[in-house]
Amino acid sequence: MVAILPRSYEREANAIKNHDSHTKPQLELETQTTEVRTTITKAIDSSASALQDINQGLHSHPETGFQEHFAHETITSYLSASGFDVKKHAYGLDTSFEVEYGSGGRLVIFCAEYDALPQIGHACGHNLIATSSIAAFIAAAQAMKDRQVPGRLRLLGTPAEEGGGGKAKLIDAGAFPKETAAAIMAHPMPAHSLFHTPGAYHGLAGLKLIASHKFHVEFRGKSAHAAGEPWNGVNALDAAVAAYQNVGLLRQQIEPDERVHCVIEHGGTVPNVITDYTRTAWNVRSPTIERANKLLERVKRCIDAGGLATGCKVDYIFSPTYLNLRVNDALCDSYAASMDAIGARVMVQQEKLMNASTDMGNVSHVVPSFHGAFTIPAEAGVSVHNSSFAECAGTDEAHACALQCGKGMAMLAMRVLMDEKLAQQARADFEKPE
């Protein structure tokens, strides 16, 4: 059968057949897959203009975590106008939403992110994440309807990825049932951040991201006149500086793939008053949560030492921890095959180390998950979380890349619904120990 398929479909056919004999059900599945791909392509192409309006709307109205009211209203209004029954303010989060299509069978969830960064807007390209996931959902729903495929598709609005741990809160609220067959999303990236040879690939399937503890530290001392009676003060700024310097020394003895970051959010008021309160924000990252836990204890000793040396009280305020992102080989292979079939070359295994974190990592520890990356045009030296990348995320070219990714994610979802073997293999990959 492979010999008579168009050349671009060979990898996809192999993924479906699992390199086995050509039974009648397998041939029927291949035919259905081709028809579904055609439906998905038409559905996304015909919605491109409306999706670009959403994309540009989000890009021009950046909102930080849990404050994404414009994004929430823009996306849910579009989905409602498209005939879907939308649950606004889902799972107790004001800027989350949920829309579902289908009944019975397996459940596949598309995750849509839409929060931005303070001051630099969509410098992580979440407007494109939302666009690609919405595109994938509406196209897969159309394919389900046309081909009468059993199963359920869900588009889940996941606020506050940038530090707020929206998906961790959604997990706790039951948004990702354990029987979920796959949770799917993808992130825009500059090609040079992913590959040694930028331009050779359109994206990466098996994106690996690391675990991250996120927390604030408050130091409390005692104010006094800095010139007249400094001996009566307890300097909270000294405690923060000492903690920062202690961790700076610790960095010499941590692993090359580990990271610790800090900013002083509140450092005092005026120089002639001993500072009685400071607040710092920290990220402690390591490739696995087990290693991140060990590194956290070392960092805390450095911080506590700053408080002990200055006589300040130390309080920790923890945000949801981001677990490391687990790669599901079966889902990655299937996505790469689907992208090949539409002329987009995708690397399956990660080539360059990525020391970033996402709350999608938490999802990957509770259900089989796919979190890929798609490239958008960006000059060398431009990286995510940079204001220049925010500009890149607002271009027509980036929008086209998001829609192309949406086609691949829609096909991945449909394969999981249609192909029992793929669904079983994805579950088996999820259940394997790391």
Side-chain angles (χ1 to χ4, degrees), residues 42-57 78 131 135 138 396 399 403:
K42 289 181 178 178
I44 291 180
D45 288 347
S46 65
S47 302
S49 178
L51 290 168
Q52 186 158 29
D53 289 342
I54 295 173
N55 181 11
Q56 290 299 314
Y78 169 75
T131 301
I138 61 173
D396 292 345
H399 176 69
L403 295 189

Side-chain angles (χ1 to χ4, degrees), residues 268-284:
T269 53
V270 292
N272 62 341
V273 176
I274 298 295
T275 300
D276 64 351
Y277 173 82
T278 55
R279 176 182 167 105
T280 53
W282 298 81
N283 278 12
V284 175

Side-chain angles (χ1 to χ4, degrees), residues 31 43 75 94 121 126 135 175 179-180 249 285 298 353 401:
T31 300
I75 296 169
D94 193 41
H126 290 192
E179 67 272 16
T180 302
L249 296 174
R285 307 185 198 245
R298 297 175 70 190
L353 187 66
C401 294

Side-chain angles (χ1 to χ4, degrees), residues 81-118:
S82 300
F84 295 103
D85 183 14
V86 182
K87 296 179 183 177
K88 296 185 177 183
H89 321 300
Y91 298 99
L93 299 181
D94 193 41
T95 55
S96 180
F97 66 85
E98 182 181 85
V99 56
E100 191 164 301
Y101 181 83
S103 61
R106 289 181 283 272
L107 169 64
V108 174
I109 301 174
F110 295 106
C111 296
E113 296 176 4
Y114 34 82
D115 62 318
L117 290 156

Side-chain angles (χ1 to χ4, degrees), residues 11 195 200-204 336 339-340 343-347:
R11 186 177 182 182
F195 311 118
Y201 295 92
H202 296 87
L204 170 67
M339 292 298 283
D340 269 0
R345 192 179 181 202
V346 170
M347 181 178 283

